[in-house]
Structures are given as structure tokens and as C-alpha cells.
Amino acid sequence: MDVSSTKTNYPALYTLINVFFFWGFIAAGNSIFIPFCKHYFELDQFQSQLIDFAFYTAYYMGALLLFIFGTLKGSDVVGKWGYKKSIVYGLLFSALGAGAMIVAVKSNVYLGMLIGLFIVALGFSLQQTAANPFAISLGDPKTGASRVNLGGGINSFGTTIGPIMVGLALFGSTASVTDEQIKHLELDKVIWLYIGVGLLFLGAAAMFYFSKKVPAGVSDEPMEKAGKAMRFLIVMTVLLALIFTQVFNSYKSEAAKKIEGLEIKIETLKKNISVNEDHVQIDNKVKTIQAEIKELKKPLEKERMYWLSGALVVIIGGLLFVKQSALKRSEGWGAMQYPQLVLGMLAIFTYVGVEVAIGSNLGELLKLPEFGGYQSSEIAPYISMYWGSLMIGRWAGAISVFNLSKTKRMIALIVVPLIAFLVVLRLNRLVGQDVTPLYYYVICVLAQIGAFFLSQDKPARTLMVFGCLGLAAMITGLLTEGMVAVYAFLAGGLACSIMWPAIFSLSLMGLGKYTAQGSAFLVMMILGGGIIPPIQGKLADIIGIHNSYVIPVLCFAYLTFFAIIVKSILARQKIDVDVIEVKSGH
């Protein structure tokens, strides 16, 4: 590193945390964009979830390509470029993606929007690979966690206001837009939003590039060999590509074309009802066609679900195969020779997947009469509160960074989450949103505060407690309706808020010289955000959006299991899991 002093480089740090904000702003804003695109482009739930697929798959592809290049060259690509240049390159790539989004929105091409988001997130992948170690390098390593936590707090602030700002760009301020009216909206404001975002990317890149106070952050550390791991990841990627290609092609099949034709016929019948024609006769024709569509969809949807289930088999089965193979012969597997890392990769995959899936499918759930019957233009406060719930937890998790007395720390653990909750409410009120239905959500925040006291900053215990909190919340949401269920699903954000650092610390314990490589493998598993939401979306197309929340139940169940099993794995390696405290940060 070319950091010459252990004194914190605050100008460089304040420049750096801007990129943390971008990650949260765009990612959470997608939760509003998804239900909008569903109605604007007349998509099913799975197709609308391809926004998440494009966004989070880009994270995986970016990290995978960096790993492959690094393995082939025998050195860390990002370290060789330097953290400063890597972040500049990432910001320029994201600016290119924003430009692609502008062109796609202007042309009303959904595929173009997906490509634009993919390019934006590809830039994010490079930025995220460099930003966390860069933050640690900007001063005394002992206080590195606090700098990462500062970035995490700003990231969470971005996730809170992202849905609000995207909602404003799509629907305006307080005007309610019905889902039928969405098809006829002008997207000029979205274009201006991405023009602004693109300019911010370019501005941040210029700040980094021209600032003399931001060090280059060059590292010449060698890349640990992991040929078998590289081959496994390449094979897994090819198999996933083949599976999703089959799913995408099913939308061009003869059955799919016939369904599309019948749906157009229904729209024509509804629009061209003659004043002299019997409305009952029209309704009967529509019902007959709808019954035909339902029969055609059954085998098609099942086939798609089988393929998507195959994607999970490839990932879960593949990682379990790696775990067993590495136990027999560790040579060539690199960091994957450690079972805590392999199971941790699956945990990160599951965690990011459930975090994104809950928020991305929430808009569709809120449209059901039993969950409020909201229009897409009215859901921003709920989406903001879901992502704000992560901010609430991360702000509370960051308290352990400060050297507070036991009494002050207890007071802070109660006060900070409540302040964060009020911040989310206030931000929504400032743009004219009605947040009255969310006042009693404070009960869930109080439950989270209790979970923090139970977890005692111990990673395995924290993950188990918050996994159980998420599991209880999802089961409650499945078994109830109305605001109780809405609160329960929103509380999924509270459960997810502190999981990332707990999973990371547990997965990397005892890896020694493979720690950096293990961290790269974990970042790849952000892929879960691109796989699990579409699977829940397709399940929703088959069994309904409410019942599809069985997917988050299964995810939280595995995360709770991982918290239990990893403790015994580390115990066999004679590693004390309680020596490291959990720090907030993403």
C-alpha cells in the first residue's frame, strides 16, 4: 500500500463513501421499478423480477471475471490497478450503464433497461471489490472497521431514500396513479433521474481521479492458486446460463405465443364493447378465453419452475459437492477447502437472495385487497420502510464500534434504532407520503432491539437470533393477512440488517492466507439476489404472491441452520467463534 500514515485520510474517506450511497440507492430503487415495469410492459411476476436478475448477476459476473483474470495472472487484478483506479473504472462503467438506461427508457425497450442495469451493477461489482479494503487502508487498521461501518451507514441511507426518489420520478408527488394508468405514463422523469445518476457517477469518478489526497492504494500481493475452484465456478456459470436460456426461450414457444394472442383478444373484447351488444355475452367470451389461457399456462409454468429449481440444484448441489471433494483432497481448491467458507458462500447466496426477494415481491403483495389493495404508485412508503429497516439494524450494529461504557451502550442500543425509525418516517413525510399506517411498526423495531441484547455481539449467536427473528416474521406473514402480515414481511428487513457481517466473519475465520480469496468468493455469492427473487416470482405466478413467501421461510431456516452448524465446524478446528464481535456494514 502507498498509505504513508496511520492517520485517517478524511478527504479520501468522504470521497469514497459516495460510492456506498450509490449501491444502496440503485438497489433499493429497483423494488419500485419492478412493479412499475410489470404493468408498463405487461409482464408476469417472473419477468418483472428479471430486473433483480440482471442487477445481481452482474455482481457475480464482475467478481468471477476478476477472480479468473487474477488466477491466470497469479496476482490480484484490483490490487495491481490500485483501489483508486479500480473505483474510477467502476464508476465510469456505471455511468455507461446509466447512459444505456437512458437510451432504453427513451426507446421503451425492457431488455435494454435490463442491459443498462447489468452494466451499472457490473461497475458496482468493481467498486465494491475495491472500496471495502480501500476504506480500511485509509488510516490505522485498528479503526478500519469503523470506516467500513460509516460506508455501510451511508449505503443504508441510500436504500432508504432510493425507493422514495424513484417513486417520485415514476409517479410524481402525492398523486395516485392506478396500475391501468401506468401503461400510459410518460417516462421523461426517469430519463432525467438517470441523467442525474450518470452525472453523479462521472462527478465521483472525476473527484477520485483528480484528487491528490486520495492514495492509489496499489497492492502487489500474490493470488493464491485455486484451479479447481476456478473450473467449478466456470462450469456452474455455464450450467446456469443454459438453464435460464431455456426459461427465456419458453416465452417464445408456440404455447406462449398462443397465450399472448388470446390475451390480446381479451383486451380487444373489453375495449370494443358495442353499446348494442350483450355485456353478459362478452363476459362469457372473456371467461372462456381466460379458462383456455389457464389450461395452456399450467404445463408451461411447471416447466419453467422445473428449470428454475434446477438452478438451485446446480448452486446448492455444486457447493455441497465442493465441500465433500475438498475434504478428501484440498489441493487446488484454495479457500474452498474450508467447509465454513463453502457453507458461508451458500449463506451469503441465501441472505442476499432473501433480502432482495422480500422487498422486490412486496409491491405485488400490497396490491391484494387483503393487504391493502394499494396501487403501484402508493407502495413507496412500505418499500422505503423495508429497506429502512436494514438501516435501522445497521445503525444499531455500528454502536459496538465505539468505546462506550456498558450503560451508555445499552441506552444507545435502545435510542439509535428508534431515531433511525423516525428518520425513515420523516423522509417519507417530507415528500408528502402518508406514513400513518406505519406508526405501529415501532413494535417490530422494539423486537429487534431485544434481539440485539440477546445476540451480545457474538457472530454465531447474532446470526441464530436474527435468523429465528426472520423465520418467525415470515411464518407470521404467511399465516396472517392485513397490517399484521405487512409488518411481519417488513420485519424481514430488520432480521436481515445485521446478517452480512456475521456471515462474513464466521465464513472467513481460520482461513489465514486464503482470507482475501475467500472474501472474493463470498462477494460472488451476491448472485443470490439475481436467482432467488425470480424463483419466488415464478412461484407467485403459479401459487399466488402471498403463498410464494414460503421461499423466504426456507431461506431464513438455512441461515439459522448455518449459524448452528458453523459453530461446530469451527470448534473442530479449535477456533473460538466468540472472539470476534459483529460489526455493521455491507
Side-chain angles (χ1 to χ4, degrees):
M1 300 294 170
D2 59 350
V3 179
S4 58
S5 173
T6 56
K7 186 177 180 182
T8 301
N9 185 337
Y10 286 107
L13 180 62
Y14 296 149
T15 305
L16 176 64
I17 61 175
N18 285 296
V19 301
F20 284 82
F21 175 84
F22 291 142
W23 305 337
F25 181 91
I26 299 294
N30 287 343
S31 297
I32 296 292
F33 212 47
I34 285 169
F36 171 85
C37 286
K38 178 175 182 179
H39 294 282
Y40 190 84
F41 293 104
E42 297 181 324
L43 309 170
D44 65 23
Q45 189 65 9
F46 166 78
Q47 289 172 308
S48 70
Q49 293 294 323
L50 292 179
I51 287 174
D52 281 334
F53 174 79
F55 190 79
Y56 290 97
T57 301
Y59 269 93
Y60 169 72
M61 290 304 299
L64 177 62
L65 289 172
L66 287 171
F67 169 66
I68 292 172
F69 293 149
T71 300
L72 294 176
K73 290 186 175 183
S75 62
D76 180 12
V77 176
V78 171
K80 195 171 182 179
W81 287 345
Y83 298 139
K84 179 179 178 178
K85 280 187 179 180
S86 297
I87 290 171
V88 170
Y89 295 155
L91 287 164
L92 292 176
F93 227 93
S94 294
L96 180 66
M101 276 292 291
I102 292 165
V103 173
V105 172
K106 190 73 176 176
S107 307
N108 281 357
V109 178
Y110 183 56
L111 178 60
M113 293 183 186
L114 297 181
I115 292 171
L117 280 171
F118 182 88
I119 298 171
V120 168
L122 206 57
F124 283 2
S125 176
L126 183 52
Q127 294 165 38
Q128 186 149 339
T129 302
N132 286 315
F134 197 24
I136 293 171
S137 75
L138 294 175
D140 188 343
K142 293 179 181 179
T143 58
S146 64
R147 292 188 290 279
V148 174
N149 283 323
L150 177 60
I154 297 299
N155 173 271
S156 296
F157 184 67
T159 64
T160 303
I161 71 170
I164 299 172
M165 297 306 295
V166 173
L168 282 172
L170 292 172
F171 308 113
S173 54
T174 57
S176 178
V177 179
T178 67
D179 290 338
E180 279 297 314
Q181 292 172 327
I182 284 176
K183 300 173 189 175
H184 310 291
L185 285 177
E186 296 292 330
L187 297 184
D188 291 347
K189 288 182 180 178
V190 178
I191 292 172
W192 283 109
L193 173 68
Y194 272 93
I195 287 174
V197 169
L199 290 173
L200 285 172
F201 287 146
L202 291 173
M207 280 169 48
F208 266 93
Y209 185 77
F210 292 109
S211 175
K212 293 180 180 179
K213 294 185 177 180
V214 178
V218 175
S219 171
D220 57 359
E221 292 182 10
M223 176 75 76
E224 297 297 336
K225 293 181 180 180
K228 288 181 182 178
M230 183 179 71
R231 288 192 289 275
F232 161 72
L233 290 168
I234 291 172
V235 170
M236 186 179 80
T237 304
V238 170
L239 290 175
L240 290 175
L242 291 173
I243 287 170
F244 275 92
T245 298
Q246 290 296 322
V247 178
F248 298 151
N249 286 340
S250 73
Y251 282 90
K252 300 174 185 177
S253 66
E254 288 301 317
K257 289 177 182 177
K258 190 172 182 180
I259 290 168
E260 187 178 352
L262 291 170
E263 288 173 341
I264 292 171
K265 193 174 181 180
I266 289 175
E267 288 297 315
T268 304
L269 284 170
K270 288 180 178 179
K271 288 177 182 177
N272 300 318
I273 296 176
S274 170
V275 290
N276 298 319
E277 197 165 357
D278 187 359
H279 284 223
V280 175
Q281 186 179 356
I282 294 291
D283 287 340
N284 288 335
K285 285 182 180 178
V286 169
K287 287 178 182 176
T288 301
I289 295 172
Q290 286 174 335
E292 187 178 352
I293 290 173
K294 190 175 181 181
E295 286 304 309
L296 285 169
K297 274 189 173 180
K298 276 182 182 178
L300 197 56
E301 296 290 31
K302 284 182 179 179
E303 180 188 346
R304 290 166 180 164
M305 196 66 214
Y306 289 146
W307 280 111
L308 290 170
S309 299
L312 280 184
V313 170
V314 167
I315 294 166
I316 297 171
L319 286 172
L320 293 178
F321 166 77
V322 167
K323 178 177 174 288
Q324 291 304 116
S325 297
L327 283 175
K328 293 176 182 176
R329 190 175 181 184
S330 62
E331 184 183 352
W333 284 111
M336 287 189 188
Q337 67 186 271
Y338 295 92
Q340 64 266 36
L341 186 277
V342 176
L343 294 177
M345 289 171 68
L346 186 54
I348 286 290
F349 175 87
T350 306
Y351 155 72
V352 177
V354 72
E355 176 186 286
V356 176
I358 294 171
S360 295
N361 287 287
L362 191 60
E364 191 64 19
L365 182 81
L366 292 170
K367 293 175 189 176
L368 297 178
E370 59 268 33
F371 290 93
Y374 295 97
Q375 301 294 327
S376 295
S377 61
E378 299 170 326
I379 64 172
Y382 295 92
I383 301 298
S384 176
M385 182 56 75
Y386 172 74
W387 290 103
S389 294
L390 278 89
M391 182 181 79
I392 292 168
R394 287 171 186 167
W395 283 16
I399 292 170
S400 59
V401 173
F402 304 99
N403 294 319
L404 300 177
S405 65
K406 188 175 180 180
T407 303
K408 288 181 179 178
R409 184 178 173 281
M410 288 178 65
I411 294 171
L413 270 177
I414 297 170
V415 174
V416 170
L418 295 174
I419 291 174
F421 172 64
L422 292 175
V423 167
V424 180
L425 292 179
R426 183 60 180 165
L427 286 170
N428 279 278
R429 286 288 297 273
L430 285 173
V431 296
Q433 297 284 5
D434 179 19
V435 293
T436 308
L438 292 170
Y439 286 164
Y440 290 106
Y441 185 63
V442 70
I443 296 170
C444 297
V445 177
L446 292 173
Q448 187 203 44
I449 292 170
F452 270 110
F453 280 104
L454 283 174
S455 62
Q456 299 175 357
D457 286 334
K458 296 175 181 178
R461 189 184 179 99
T462 295
L463 190 57
M464 186 176 66
V465 169
F466 279 80
C468 289
L469 177 65
L471 195 57
M474 294 304 106
I475 292 173
T476 300
L478 272 176
L479 298 179
T480 59
E481 295 177 351
M483 286 310 295
V484 171
V486 172
Y487 280 4
F489 289 131
L490 290 178
L494 296 172
C496 287
S497 63
I498 198 67
M499 286 186 168
W500 174 278
I503 296 169
F504 244 76
S505 60
L506 290 167
S507 303
L508 296 177
M509 281 184 181
L511 264 63
K513 65 179 182 178
Y514 292 105
T515 299
Q517 189 181 89
S519 180
F521 288 151
L522 291 173
V523 170
M524 285 181 203
M525 288 297 103
I526 290 177
L527 174 68
I531 302 292
I532 292 177
I535 288 176
Q536 185 179 346
K538 181 48 62 189
L539 191 61
D541 290 331
I542 298 171
I543 65 173
I545 189 66
H546 187 194
N547 291 330
S548 76
Y549 272 80
V550 68
I551 295 292
V553 171
L554 297 175
C555 290
F556 280 117
Y558 174 72
L559 291 168
T560 305
F561 167 78
F562 173 72
I564 297 169
I565 195 70
V566 75
K567 192 169 184 177
S568 63
I569 290 171
L570 292 171
R572 286 197 296 271
Q573 297 175 16
K574 297 182 180 179
I575 299 172
D576 186 358
V577 298
D578 294 332
V579 296
I580 299 177
E581 292 186 347
V582 178
K583 312 289 186 183
S584 177
H586 197 300

